[in-house]
């Protein structure tokens, strides 16, 4: 299947002078978001935030929680609970972490993910992760999913700033000695696409994570796909 037919929507390419070539077959560096893109963890994130907030007297909605996924955890808590003081926000953060870690066995990688990563590696692609998770949290799920060896570099929000700050992408490009034109970034949140757009990196929005298809399309990703299988097909060719 061609790249265009594999995508549910082919958005207009960004006009940035840094992003002239969007052919995925030419990309040598493939950078992934983690939650909602590679790992089926959105449900647990939403549940954990509800439990954490309610434990300290605060409530929110599923949609509001999904809208902050992709940001660093504390940035998300600041948005969800602006009326909470600093000590309450820290307590919510700890309660969230406690519930998430205790139940993280229930968050598998999406079914096609490992085959996709293996195929991309066999094609000689460099793979990386740019995530809103903290380093401790990412290392834990990489260990649990036995995924460390797929990635030449991973970058987290506590190392390079919260999305849509592009610093984590800049760090990955520098570390791998790749150019913007060599890279594609894949994510499920509007912050992911906004981050890629700031550097002019080719982007793929996935509709099966946090944001709706319409919300993602409004950010003008280069490509947009509906399912993990479609993502694997468009990347692996």
């Amino acid at each position: 299947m061609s790249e265009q037919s594999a995508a549910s929507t082919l958005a207009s390419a960004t006009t940035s002078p840094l992003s002239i070539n969007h052919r995925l077959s030419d990309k040598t560096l493939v950078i992934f978001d983690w939650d909602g893109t590679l790992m089926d963890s959105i449900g647990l994130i939403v549940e954990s935030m509800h439990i954490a907030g309610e434990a300290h007297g605060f409530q929110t909605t599923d949609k509001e929680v999904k809208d902050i996924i992709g940001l660093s955890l504390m940035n998300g808590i600041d948005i969800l609970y602006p009326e909470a003081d600093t000590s309450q926000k820290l307590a919510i953060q700890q309660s969230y972490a406690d519930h998430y870690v205790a139940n993280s066995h229930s968050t598998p990688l999406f079914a096609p993910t490992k085959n996709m990563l293996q195929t991309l590696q066999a094609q000689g692609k460099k793979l990386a992760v740019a995530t809103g998770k903290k380093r401790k949290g990412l290392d834990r799920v990489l260990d649990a999913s036995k995924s460390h060896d797929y990635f030449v570099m991973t970058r987290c929000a506590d190392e390079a700033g919260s999305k849509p700050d592009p610093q984590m992408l800049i760090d990955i490009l520098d570390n791998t000695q790749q150019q913007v034109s060599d890279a594609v970034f894949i994510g499920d949140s509007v912050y992911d696409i906004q981050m890629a757009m700031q550097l002019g990196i080719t982007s793929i929005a996935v509709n099966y994570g946090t944001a709706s298809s319409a919300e993602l399309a409004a950010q003008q990703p280069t490509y947009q796909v509906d399912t993990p299988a479609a993502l694997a097909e468009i990347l692996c060719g």
Side-chain angles (χ1 to χ4, degrees):
M1 181 180 289
S2 70
E3 290 170 0
Q4 185 169 353
S5 61
S8 62
T9 302
L10 178 58
S12 298
T14 176
T15 57
S16 167
L18 296 177
S19 304
I20 297 168
N21 187 352
H22 292 284
R23 287 199 331 183
L24 297 179
S25 59
D26 293 336
K27 303 302 178 184
T28 53
L29 174 62
V30 185
I31 311 171
F32 297 93
D33 168 58
W34 187 264
D35 290 307
T37 300
L38 295 181
M39 179 165 274
D40 189 6
S41 50
I42 301 305
L44 180 58
I45 291 172
V46 172
E47 175 185 282
S48 299
M49 188 59 75
H50 283 317
I51 287 173
E54 289 167 9
H56 300 281
F58 300 96
Q59 292 190 331
T60 188
T61 67
D62 287 0
K63 179 65 166 62
E64 288 169 336
V65 176
K66 288 181 179 181
D67 283 347
I68 60 89
I69 295 174
L71 300 174
S72 67
L73 179 56
M74 189 51 76
N75 278 14
I77 289 171
D78 285 339
I79 291 170
L80 289 174
Y81 311 113
E83 69 276 29
D85 61 30
T86 299
S87 64
Q88 289 172 320
K89 290 176 181 176
L90 290 172
I92 291 169
Q93 178 180 236
Q94 187 60 55
S95 294
Y96 172 92
D98 290 344
H99 184 81
Y100 188 94
V101 171
N103 293 276
S104 57
H105 60 276
S106 65
T107 58
L109 295 175
F110 288 108
T113 295
K114 285 203 171 181
N115 285 340
M116 174 183 69
L117 298 176
Q118 290 166 0
T119 299
L120 290 170
Q121 270 193 331
Q123 293 174 350
K125 310 285 189 182
K126 294 182 178 181
L127 309 181
V129 170
T131 177
K133 283 185 174 299
K134 289 186 175 182
R135 168 54 57 190
K136 182 178 179 181
L138 179 63
D139 284 345
R140 184 181 62 252
V141 294
L142 286 170
D143 288 340
S145 60
K146 297 180 173 57
S147 300
H148 269 290
D149 291 344
Y150 293 117
F151 305 106
V152 298
M153 186 180 181
T154 60
R155 207 69 171 146
C156 300
D158 55 343
E159 300 166 334
S162 181
K163 299 172 184 177
D165 184 330
Q167 187 60 51
M168 62 179 75
L169 293 182
I170 293 170
D171 291 348
I172 291 170
L173 290 168
D174 288 346
N175 181 270
T176 58
Q177 298 184 314
Q178 301 290 293
Q179 302 299 313
V180 165
S181 59
D182 298 324
V184 55
F185 178 64
I186 303 99
D188 67 309
S189 77
V190 296
Y191 308 111
D192 290 323
I193 307 308
Q194 289 170 356
M195 181 172 70
M197 288 284 285
Q198 288 191 60
L199 294 185
I201 289 179
T202 299
S203 61
I204 304 175
V206 300
N207 296 338
Y208 52 81
T210 60
S212 69
S213 174
E215 288 170 330
L216 290 167
Q219 302 302 317
Q220 297 186 309
T222 319
Y223 300 91
Q224 196 165 353
V225 297
D226 282 329
T227 66
L231 175 64
E233 191 155 11
I234 194 175
L235 281 176
C236 295

